[in-house]
Amino acid sequence: MSKFKLMNANFEESLNLSDDSLISFMENDTNNRGIYNGKNKIGITIIAIIMFGFNFFISMIVQIGIEGKLGESTLSQPNINFLPMWVPIGLFIVWLVIWLLLKKNNYYSISVYRRMLTVNNYLVWLILEANLFFLTFFLTTLTFLGALTIFCFLGLTSYIIFRSKSRSLENNLFGGKSKLDKIDNFIQKLINFLFKYGWIIVIVVILWKFIFSNTTGVRTDIVGLVGIIAMWLIVDIAFIFAEAYLFLPYLLYGYYKYKYPEEYREWEGKTQLEWYGEKYFNKHIKGTEKEEKKNDGN
């Protein structure tokens, strides 16, 4: 099986993606929203400024926390800053470079997918910063082993979810059924076990701290700590599911529209001007061999 099999379907096979209900939902949703279809450029600019500012604000909060200026906390004082200001600056530069590259050879019918990919790249940036934020403040409390356990769990969860969705998309594109190998079976069982019995471990930890704690304050703090860590995991897992089940299929469909532009244009029954947009058509299509010659019957 090719590593990039999902990206190697021919035009006829790629059409099978149009039957996916989630892709259809994303298509209708993005095409009707000004932030994606480009009709609300002022709103997009304002939202972008606010969101970029928020990412840099997270780094500022971490720096204030490292300096001990956030007030009293039940958590141990962090001694390693995993989110210094150069991190959001670097991630912003990476995001900006990708954005500029995506704008090249961009035409009307794929512009909505480009904007969605740009939004997705920002969300990846945001979730990465959020994890570095939590890691900075919780590493001392969790210890290295505890933090490593959390990220290993998230890594295994990501693998299972993306592997499962990728195989589902492959079946959709090419037909047939894929079987799990021994490693997949092992990881699948491990993830199922953690999801099924992980809450028992959390309850045992809370009861242990409740029974053997010296003050009621510690008991409350432990409950709060477990709740925050649970929220951390839930947010990450929700993001992983969104990436695998919403963004991946939708962006894959957009990739095939970019790969087979003329085929999809004809399949959707649009003229080249409608498909590419006036600006792109006049610059790259009109007067070239790519321009579709109308049959006038003579």
Side-chain angles (χ1 to χ4, degrees):
M1 180 183 296
S2 171
K3 185 177 180 180
F4 301 103
K5 186 175 181 181
L6 281 177
M7 303 177 71
N8 291 330
N10 57 40
F11 168 66
E12 287 76 16
E13 290 170 335
S14 71
L15 288 176
N16 293 326
L17 292 175
S18 62
D19 297 328
D20 189 301
S21 58
L22 286 177
I23 292 178
S24 298
F25 165 78
M26 292 288 287
E27 284 273 290
N28 294 329
D29 185 66
T30 54
N31 288 331
N32 292 322
R33 290 183 182 271
I35 190 174
Y36 300 121
N37 59 30
K39 295 181 180 179
N40 188 6
K41 294 183 178 180
I42 296 178
I44 294 174
T45 303
I46 294 174
I47 292 175
I49 293 174
I50 293 175
M51 298 307 292
F52 291 153
F54 179 72
N55 281 22
F56 287 98
F57 178 73
I58 294 175
S59 181
M60 293 173 58
I61 292 296
V62 171
Q63 182 58 44
I64 294 173
I66 288 289
E67 297 172 356
K69 297 179 181 179
L70 289 178
E72 294 184 3
S73 174
T74 57
L75 297 174
S76 302
Q77 179 67 26
N79 47 35
I80 302 176
N81 185 357
F82 290 97
L83 192 57
M85 188 56 71
W86 63 264
V87 172
I89 292 176
L91 291 173
F92 172 71
I93 292 174
V94 172
W95 180 91
L96 184 62
V97 170
I98 296 175
W99 178 73
L100 290 172
L101 291 174
L102 289 173
K103 285 183 69 68
K104 286 186 175 182
N105 298 323
N106 175 57
Y107 54 84
Y108 177 75
S109 291
I110 64 165
S111 60
V112 65
Y113 301 98
R114 175 184 61 82
R115 294 188 184 95
M116 176 58 77
L117 180 56
T118 299
V119 171
N120 181 69
N121 292 339
Y122 170 80
L123 292 176
V124 172
W125 169 13
L126 178 62
I127 204 70
L128 178 59
E129 280 202 19
N131 279 273
L132 293 175
F133 173 90
F134 281 112
L135 183 61
T136 298
F137 286 106
F138 285 87
L139 179 61
T140 306
T141 303
L142 289 173
T143 71
F144 174 79
L145 182 60
L148 180 62
T149 301
I150 287 177
F151 285 111
C152 285
F153 171 73
L154 290 173
L156 289 173
T157 302
S158 299
Y159 174 82
I160 289 295
I161 293 173
F162 274 95
R163 188 65 176 270
S164 175
K165 186 57 181 177
S166 294
R167 290 185 171 184
S168 174
L169 288 170
E170 285 181 5
N171 292 336
N172 191 5
L173 283 168
F174 308 109
K177 295 183 178 180
S178 300
K179 295 182 179 180
L180 294 175
D181 55 33
K182 293 182 179 179
I183 296 178
D184 292 328
N185 278 323
F186 171 75
I187 296 178
Q188 181 73 67
K189 290 178 181 178
L190 179 61
I191 293 295
N192 289 339
F193 175 82
L194 292 173
F195 273 114
K196 189 174 182 179
Y197 300 107
W199 62 273
I200 298 178
I201 299 174
V202 172
I203 291 178
V204 169
V205 171
I206 294 175
L207 290 176
W208 179 272
K209 294 295 182 178
F210 177 83
I211 295 172
F212 294 100
S213 62
N214 295 324
T215 64
T216 57
V218 175
R219 182 182 64 214
T220 303
D221 295 339
I222 286 296
V223 173
L225 176 63
V226 172
I228 293 175
I229 294 175
M231 179 189 69
W232 177 7
L233 290 172
I234 290 171
V235 170
D236 275 346
I237 292 173
F239 177 76
I240 293 168
F241 268 105
E243 285 288 303
Y245 283 86
L246 292 179
F247 289 106
L248 176 60
Y250 177 75
L251 293 175
L252 182 65
Y253 190 53
Y255 162 77
Y256 279 114
K257 282 192 173 183
Y258 176 78
K259 186 176 182 179
Y260 304 114
E262 283 298 297
E263 290 85 345
Y264 270 96
R265 179 185 68 78
E266 294 177 0
W267 182 66
E268 294 187 10
K270 295 182 179 179
T271 65
Q272 287 184 321
L273 188 60
E274 291 173 329
W275 180 261
Y276 293 104
E278 183 176 359
K279 183 177 180 180
Y280 186 93
F281 175 79
N282 290 335
K283 185 176 181 180
H284 298 282
I285 305 294
K286 189 175 182 179
T288 70
E289 295 179 354
K290 298 178 181 179
E291 183 176 5
E292 184 179 44
K293 304 301 181 182
K294 295 182 180 180
N295 186 355
D296 56 9
N298 295 326

